[in-house]
């Protein structure tokens, strides 16, 4: 692929690269992700159990399976997937994030294949699980990015995607209030790049994928993040090959 055809937005990659050193600090610049991650993991685990017919009491439901996390940052999702038994590959556009991910995984003896690589250049195929959380709104070509995710997914595999919805609520909470109050670093979100569920479902369909579940992520100052029927702020999708 030439640089012009890459899905990676260099400015976005550079922005997140500057945050790499604090990625694993629950009180640092990625504090909001640490609050969000347990809720996302609850959704992902339930989707895994349903799709692969696992019991919720199993500690390693992904044993013998492969997982790919695209836009992995410093590994907040890769590490739990590895602990669930998966052979995990993590891709990220920022080399600083990959370095931080490797440094965090090594002392825990987690064998995760981290790569500073774009999805369209990734040759891996037939992954049982493909995830990409809070990434789609940061890429240059969302359709090409989703096409890449689809190529990496096994025919009977499971995909989980999350992204903010483009609404007045998401603009107020994720762009204006969150960045003004310092809960999210300035410049993290651009409201015009947010994608509605309808737009995302159409792009997924273009890539030969179909949505089997859409669940909202809501937020309140008192309770934090929670899974919800309300899609106005953010949402997760469970996706399979059509």
């Amino acid at each position: 692929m030439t640089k012009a055809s890459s899905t990676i937005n260099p400015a976005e990659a550079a922005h997140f690269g500057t945050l790499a050193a604090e990625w694993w600090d629950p009180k640092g610049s990625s504090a909001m992700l640490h609050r969000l991650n347990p809720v996302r993991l609850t959704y992902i685990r339930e989707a895994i159990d349903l799709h692969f017919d696992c019991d919720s009491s199993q500690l390693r439901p992904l044993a013998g399976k492969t997982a790919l996390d695209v836009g992995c940052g410093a590994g907040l999702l890769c590490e739990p997937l590895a602990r669930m038994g998966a052979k995990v590959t993590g891709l990220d556009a920022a080399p600083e994030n990959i370095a931080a991910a490797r440094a965090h995984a090594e002392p825990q003896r987690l064998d995760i294949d981290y790569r500073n690589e774009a999805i369209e250049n990734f040759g891996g195929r037939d992954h049982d699980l493909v995830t990409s959380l809070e990434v789609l709104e940061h890429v240059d070509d969302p359709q090409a990015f989703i096409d890449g995710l689809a190529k990496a997914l096994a025919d009977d595999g499971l995909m989980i995607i999350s992204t903010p919805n483009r609404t007045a609520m998401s603009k107020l909470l994720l762009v204006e209030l969150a960045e003004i109050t310092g809960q999210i670093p300035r410049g993290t979100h651009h409201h015009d790049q947010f994608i509605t569920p309808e737009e995302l479902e159409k792009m997924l369909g273009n890539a030969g994928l179909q949505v089997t579940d859409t669940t909202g992520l809501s937020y309140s100052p008192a309770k934090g993040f929670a899974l919800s029927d309300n899609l106005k702020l953010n949402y997760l999708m469970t996706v399979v090959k059509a």
Side-chain angles (χ1 to χ4, degrees):
M1 286 273 180
T2 65
K3 185 176 180 182
S5 65
S6 175
T7 60
I8 291 175
N9 182 313
E12 296 278 4
H15 170 77
F16 286 102
T18 64
L19 308 177
E22 293 188 1
W23 207 285
W24 281 98
D25 182 358
K27 296 182 180 179
S29 57
S30 296
M32 190 69 78
L33 275 180
H34 283 268
R35 297 175 69 182
L36 176 59
N37 211 39
V39 183
R40 301 189 307 192
L41 284 169
T42 296
Y43 180 87
I44 291 169
R45 177 60 201 255
E46 290 176 356
I48 287 169
D49 289 345
L50 182 63
H51 185 80
F52 296 112
D53 194 24
C54 299
D55 189 289
S56 60
S57 64
Q58 288 180 249
L59 295 178
R60 293 169 60 84
L62 294 176
K65 293 181 170 57
T66 55
L68 172 68
D69 185 33
V70 184
C72 64
L76 278 182
L77 179 58
C78 287
E79 291 196 7
L81 294 179
R83 290 192 179 93
M84 285 188 227
K87 181 176 176 55
V88 181
T89 301
L91 308 184
D92 200 86
E96 300 91 341
N97 288 342
I98 292 300
R102 288 171 177 162
H104 194 270
E106 185 177 358
Q108 302 174 77
R109 297 183 180 179
L110 292 173
D111 185 17
I112 300 170
D113 182 9
Y114 284 118
R115 305 185 189 187
N116 175 215
E117 194 170 329
I119 183 61
E120 63 269 17
N121 296 327
F122 178 63
R125 299 288 184 268
D126 297 324
H127 287 81
D128 300 295
L129 175 65
V130 173
T131 57
S132 189
L133 308 184
E134 313 305 313
V135 178
L136 193 58
E137 67 273 21
H138 300 294
V139 305
D140 265 351
D141 188 336
Q143 183 65 68
F145 183 83
I146 289 171
D147 291 346
L149 298 180
K151 289 177 182 177
L153 184 67
D155 288 342
D156 58 352
L158 171 69
M159 184 184 296
I160 307 288
I161 298 179
S162 71
T163 192
N165 197 352
R166 193 175 65 255
T167 64
M169 179 182 288
S170 68
K171 184 176 183 180
L172 174 64
L173 294 182
L174 293 180
V175 181
E176 296 174 359
L177 287 178
E179 294 193 10
I180 288 171
T181 59
Q183 295 183 66
I184 296 175
R186 286 186 180 274
T188 295
H189 288 136
H190 307 283
H191 188 255
D192 60 339
Q193 294 172 205
F194 290 178
I195 296 169
T196 68
E198 295 78 15
E199 290 167 345
L200 180 50
E201 189 159 0
K202 182 178 180 180
M203 286 187 276
L204 291 164
N206 291 340
L209 303 167
Q210 73 178 66
V211 177
T212 59
D213 178 78
T214 303
T215 296
L217 278 165
S218 62
Y219 177 78
S220 73
K223 297 182 179 179
F225 289 101
L227 297 175
S228 168
D229 292 333
N230 189 334
L231 309 180
K232 290 183 179 180
L233 182 64
N234 202 311
Y235 59 95
L236 291 136
M237 280 185 171
T238 299
V239 180
V240 296
K241 286 200 170 178

